Amino acid sequence: MSRALRLLVYNWPLKLGAIVLATLLYGGLVLSQSTRQYRDPIPIGRVNVAADLYVVSDLGDVTSIQYVAPPDLRVDANTFRAVVDFGSVDPGAGSASLPVRLATSDPSIQVIDFEPKRISVTVDRVTSRDVPVHVEILSSPPGFELGTPVADASTVTVTGPQTVVSQVTQVLARVTIDPSGIDVDRTVDLVPVDANGNTLSPIDVAPPSTRVKVAVFTDRRTRTLPVNPVVTGTPAAGFEVAAIVVDPLVVSVEGDANDLSGLDRADTQPVSISGASSDVVTSVSLNLPNGVQALGSGTVGVTIRMRPVTATRTYEAGLILEGASPDRVYALSTDRVLVTIGGSVADLDRLSASSLVLTLDVTGLGDGARALAPQANLTTGLSLIAVSPASVTVTISSPPPSPAPSP
């Protein structure tokens, strides 16, 4: 201990002089530059904001910067950058006091002081939920009747701070009816509101807009029309449409008398069966003329039943014996027949004529002539339609005795 003390106080006048000299040199360096004040606002940015964190409050600006820089150095708003790091902030904290970091783009600039050094921020957890879409008619000219407003989107997703999202009861598509009475058919922005109709923010709406239709009537009439399913496309090879079923069969529509005149059916939006090999079941909206709208949901169920395309083909087939005994001789009236096979085109295409054979069952039969019907062992989906000739005569006999050996 005493040795360390002696080293500390040894030649202390020289050490003190060195410290004073260094201080004077630093002070001279500082005095050789100019101390300045920058008072234009520098917006405070944010870094490391988690996906589930919503920064509710405005971060504001750095309003005063005291710095030292060479006299000839020009300083502007791009010289400084202020940020707040949100990497350690809990989304459920509600609020936090965070330090402001100030950096310069030029290493020759030395920041002495700035304000504010800390800011208080309000945070919330990001959340999303689905809410209904409601069309609100802001104004309508007298002398017209309005049909039921129809929006393409029935629900949308709202995203934002949890405390604000929880207040959203619906989103409004606000529409004004033109004094001329023209039907409404346009895209309308969606506005999130609370139970009292107050607009809420900050809220993101996805999608942010929707198409809205409102029929405007001068001579309102209704009519019941049969539903006409519109089918497009071509099914998969080897398949065809067996039946088309719609539910309901008829719908009620409304419109001005002149728009309904000549309308004898309610077409659906196109239903595609391109490449289909099984039943197509879907719900589809009606494709009605402008000025005409459906009473009710405006959608119908369409079921398109598919079936394989069937056909028949005739082949020449060979005959083989089944159950033949090695100690019998079998003679056939013919060794080939014509066979007609039915089934789907796809299954028939897979059938190889070169390997097609029919069988004659001679199991357990004794000597003599028998008329036997050829049988076919076909894959699932194929069936034997006809064989020509329908029967083949098989003559069964014992082999001739072997000649006696010569003496």
Side-chain angles (χ1 to χ4, degrees):
M1 180 68 182
S2 60
R3 183 180 178 182
L5 183 60
R6 285 198 301 270
L7 288 174
L8 181 63
V9 300
Y10 176 74
N11 205 7
W12 66 269
L14 182 59
K15 293 179 179 177
L16 179 61
I19 294 173
V20 171
L21 179 60
T23 303
L24 292 174
L25 289 174
Y26 178 76
L29 176 63
V30 171
L31 292 174
S32 67
Q33 300 180 350
S34 58
T35 301
R36 306 184 196 178
Q37 292 281 341
Y38 189 85
R39 297 189 180 278
D40 289 343
I42 303 296
I44 300 175
R46 59 191 72 179
V47 294
N48 297 326
V49 180
D52 61 343
L53 176 70
Y54 196 98
V55 181
V56 179
S57 56
D58 181 10
L59 303 187
D61 306 311
V62 169
T63 56
S64 174
I65 303 174
Q66 185 179 1
Y67 64 97
V68 175
D72 57 346
L73 182 64
R74 183 176 178 273
V75 174
D76 58 23
N78 296 321
T79 305
F80 303 100
R81 179 171 180 261
V83 297
V84 169
D85 189 342
F86 285 86
S88 61
V89 177
D90 179 6
S95 62
S97 176
L98 300 175
V100 179
R101 298 177 181 176
L102 185 67
T104 65
S105 60
D106 192 321
S108 66
I109 300 174
Q110 180 182 357
V111 175
I112 299 174
D113 196 12
F114 65 91
E115 290 295 335
K117 294 184 181 62
R118 296 186 72 89
I119 59 172
S120 295
V121 295
T122 303
V123 296
D124 201 351
R125 191 178 301 277
V126 174
T127 189
S128 299
R129 67 187 185 94
D130 294 338
V131 295
V133 175
H134 175 70
V135 179
E136 181 181 49
I137 306 298
L138 297 179
S139 65
S140 176
F144 296 102
E145 289 186 77
L146 303 182
T148 303
V150 178
D152 281 358
S154 59
T155 61
V156 295
T157 303
V158 292
T159 302
Q162 189 173 33
T163 54
V164 182
V165 170
S166 63
Q167 301 177 55
V168 180
T169 57
Q170 61 185 349
V171 294
L172 298 179
R174 290 173 168 147
V175 174
T176 300
I177 307 300
D178 190 272
S180 63
I182 299 176
D183 293 338
V184 174
D185 186 357
R186 60 175 178 266
T187 300
V188 180
D189 291 337
L190 297 174
V191 180
V193 298
D194 62 14
N196 297 320
N198 300 315
T199 301
L200 296 172
S201 66
I203 292 289
D204 293 327
V205 181
S209 58
T210 188
R211 183 183 179 190
V212 175
K213 292 183 177 181
V214 183
V216 182
F217 306 119
T218 55
D219 184 12
R220 188 174 189 172
R221 303 289 177 89
T222 61
R223 178 177 292 179
T224 300
L225 299 173
V227 176
N228 176 51
V230 178
V231 180
T232 62
T234 303
F239 290 85
E240 64 183 0
V241 175
I244 301 175
V245 180
V246 293
D247 182 27
L249 295 174
V250 296
V251 292
S252 295
V253 299
E254 64 179 359
D256 283 328
N258 58 333
D259 292 328
L260 292 177
S261 64
L263 190 63
D264 57 1
R265 66 177 187 238
D267 290 340
T268 68
Q269 295 289 346
V271 179
S272 175
I273 59 170
S274 295
S277 58
S278 58
D279 293 352
V280 176
V281 181
T282 185
S283 293
V284 64
S285 59
L286 297 173
N287 185 19
L288 298 172
N290 290 335
V292 178
Q293 70 177 40
L295 296 175
S297 66
T299 61
V300 297
V302 178
T303 300
I304 303 171
R305 304 196 188 282
M306 309 299 296
R307 68 183 175 196
V309 177
T310 58
T312 61
R313 293 180 188 174
T314 300
Y315 305 88
E316 186 180 55
L319 295 170
I320 61 173
L321 297 178
E322 187 177 77
S325 176
D327 60 351
R328 290 288 188 271
V329 175
Y330 299 88
L332 279 64
S333 59
T334 180
D335 62 351
R336 307 192 71 80
V337 294
L338 292 178
V339 57
T340 302
I341 297 174
S344 71
V345 172
D347 288 336
L348 290 172
D349 287 341
R350 288 190 289 268
L351 181 63
S352 174
S354 61
S355 61
L356 181 62
V357 293
L358 272 65
T359 61
L360 296 170
D361 190 359
V362 295
T363 304
L365 296 180
D367 294 349
R370 308 285 198 291
L372 302 178
Q375 302 296 321
N377 185 17
L378 301 173
T379 59
T380 303
L382 296 177
S383 58
L384 183 63
I385 304 299
V387 179
S388 180
S391 63
V392 175
T393 300
V394 180
T395 302
I396 306 172
S397 60
S398 298
S402 298
S406 300

